[in-house]
Amino acid sequence: MKKALLQVKISQAFENLLVHANDDLKTALRAWKSWLSDERNASPLTVYNYIQDLKAFSGFLIHHLADNTLSLESLTQLTARDFRSFLAYRQHSDRKISGLSNARTLSVLRNFYRFLERRYQLKNNGLWSISSPRLAAPLPRPLEENDAMALTNLEALPGQNSWIHARNIALFTLLYGCGLRLNEALSLNIGDVTGQTHLLVKGKGNKERIVPILAVVHERLSVYKQLCPYDLHSPNQPIFKGALGERLHPAVAQRELRKLRPSLGLPDSATPHSLRHSFATHLLSRGGDLRTIQELLGHASLISTQRYTKVEIQALEKSYQSAHPRAKQQ
């Protein structure tokens, strides 16, 4: 979703959220939205999703409480039963909201009520007595090592624009070689490259980290820079350019990788983000330290990084089942 369109959608959704709020609640909602964007550095998409979840909650309360106007007082008087009714309504409505979506919505409500408590000293104990749905987190889906190598070593096809191909391979090699998120890579400017050895990466919540550059990544970037017809020397210029010289859009990078899947025999799970998963999984399989991988990935919690150990165990089990002489015997 393009930024301008997303901002319009945010404004429209927020205005709809305010429709059934009294003046005090409107003031609190505006303060919460500003805090979310400016102090928490939440992305526009996150802000939009949070507003949508609060809007769904507000719409439910109008009917549940039989009151066309909501206030701070009515929100603080809600009981655990009210919140459970909302989650149950969503799960059993025609839309059949998933447990994962309900878990996110519950997280959004807690975020909003935590803000009300800190800013306005308004507390609701009912919300905190509800446990989040227990969900099995999906395991990362990395590429096989030979598939990742084939992708990053791919030669340009006849008739293919040479600088576009060089850009794509440089980007995919960077994602696999440094473990960056796609948005992190596309946000890089020329000035974020320190010599030939390190990158200054701005991750989630604008947290910065230093990531080492492999020689092959630097080599691919150098080839791309030589072929690119646009300015790649000014420090504030984006490294990865679109066809018209603008900063490359994530959707374009995703489409370029999709186009390469058939020729390389890659699975549908082969995406720019799967290269980040591949980076972590392949490092771990070759003896990489979990804490070091956590720092390279920019994970705030080691729990997020530990998911890759499960992928590695799963791979070991698969290898065992296919190779051990007794594995297929009853």
Side-chain angles (χ1 to χ4, degrees):
M1 198 179 294
K2 293 186 177 180
K3 286 185 178 180
L5 177 59
L6 185 53
Q7 290 298 339
V8 170
K9 285 182 172 291
I10 289 173
S11 298
Q12 291 173 342
F14 191 67
E15 287 304 313
N16 290 335
L17 176 60
L18 298 179
V19 167
H20 295 289
N22 72 357
D23 290 342
D24 288 343
L25 181 53
K26 284 179 180 177
T27 299
L29 286 167
R30 291 189 180 104
W32 168 75
K33 179 174 174 284
S34 296
W35 169 79
L36 198 61
S37 302
D38 302 335
E39 296 184 38
R40 287 289 301 274
N41 290 315
S43 71
L45 186 58
T46 296
V47 173
Y48 176 71
N49 287 331
Y50 275 37
I51 291 172
Q52 288 288 78
D53 282 340
L54 270 193
K55 188 155 66 77
F57 183 56
S58 169
F60 167 79
L61 290 179
I62 293 301
H63 299 285
H64 182 67
L65 301 178
D67 190 342
N68 203 44
T69 303
L70 299 177
S71 64
L72 287 173
E73 183 181 3
S74 62
L75 292 185
T76 55
Q77 290 178 350
L78 294 175
T79 65
R81 185 174 181 177
D82 294 318
F83 291 110
R84 289 194 184 98
S85 295
F86 169 60
L87 297 176
Y89 163 77
R90 280 166 57 86
Q91 204 157 12
H92 296 98
S93 67
D94 291 339
R95 295 179 62 196
K96 294 182 180 178
I97 303 297
S98 68
L100 182 62
S101 294
N102 260 351
R104 189 195 71 181
T105 299
L106 187 58
S107 175
V108 171
L109 291 178
R110 285 173 175 160
N111 172 282
F112 178 61
Y113 273 89
R114 193 180 293 115
F115 171 80
L116 292 181
E117 184 175 347
R118 291 174 179 171
R119 183 68 62 92
Y120 300 101
Q121 291 74 53
L122 298 175
K123 193 169 184 178
N124 183 299
N125 293 322
L127 178 60
W128 305 103
S129 66
I130 299 176
S131 300
S132 296
R134 302 188 75 174
L135 304 169
L139 289 179
R141 301 175 66 185
L143 299 179
E144 298 289 342
E145 283 193 33
N146 58 339
D147 286 338
M149 295 297 289
L151 175 62
T152 53
N153 289 328
L154 186 65
E155 299 290 337
L157 300 174
Q160 189 174 16
N161 188 310
S162 58
W163 85 264
I164 292 289
H165 175 78
R167 178 203 68 193
N168 293 344
I169 298 305
L171 173 61
F172 300 150
T173 306
L174 176 67
L175 296 176
Y176 179 51
C178 299
L180 304 192
R181 300 176 179 93
L182 178 59
N183 282 338
E184 291 174 343
L186 299 186
S187 296
L188 289 171
N189 292 333
I190 297 298
D192 294 325
V193 182
T194 306
Q196 301 180 9
T197 57
H198 292 86
L199 288 172
L200 177 63
V201 180
K202 185 173 290 186
K204 288 185 176 180
N206 286 332
K207 293 180 181 177
E208 294 183 344
R209 67 184 189 278
I210 302 294
V211 176
I213 305 174
L214 296 176
V216 66
V217 175
H218 181 264
E219 177 187 328
R220 298 285 194 276
L221 287 171
S222 297
V223 171
Y224 158 58
K225 288 179 181 178
Q226 290 171 8
L227 294 174
C228 181
Y230 300 108
D231 175 23
L232 288 179
H233 298 92
S234 304
N236 62 343
Q237 284 293 314
I239 293 179
F240 295 104
K241 300 270 191 176
L244 300 178
E246 77 287 7
R247 187 180 297 273
L248 184 62
H249 193 277
V252 175
Q254 291 161 349
R255 185 182 66 224
E256 291 293 325
L257 184 46
R258 279 198 302 273
K259 286 161 56 177
L260 295 176
R261 284 180 195 157
S263 61
L264 293 172
L266 298 179
D268 289 344
S269 60
T271 64
H273 198 66
S274 73
L275 292 170
R276 173 176 162 87
H277 292 325
S278 304
F279 164 85
T281 305
H282 299 167
L283 268 183
L284 192 62
S285 69
R286 291 174 176 263
D289 174 68
L290 203 59
R291 282 288 184 187
T292 302
I293 295 172
Q294 176 193 359
E295 292 178 11
L296 291 173
L297 292 174
H299 283 159
S301 168
L302 187 63
I303 293 174
S304 299
T305 316
Q306 285 173 333
R307 293 186 305 155
Y308 296 103
T309 63
K310 296 179 182 178
V311 176
E312 179 60 16
I313 290 171
Q314 196 176 66
L316 287 172
E317 288 176 348
K318 183 178 179 181
S319 177
Y320 167 76
Q321 291 295 337
S322 62
H324 197 280
R326 298 299 300 270
K328 296 181 181 180
Q329 295 181 6
Q330 299 297 325

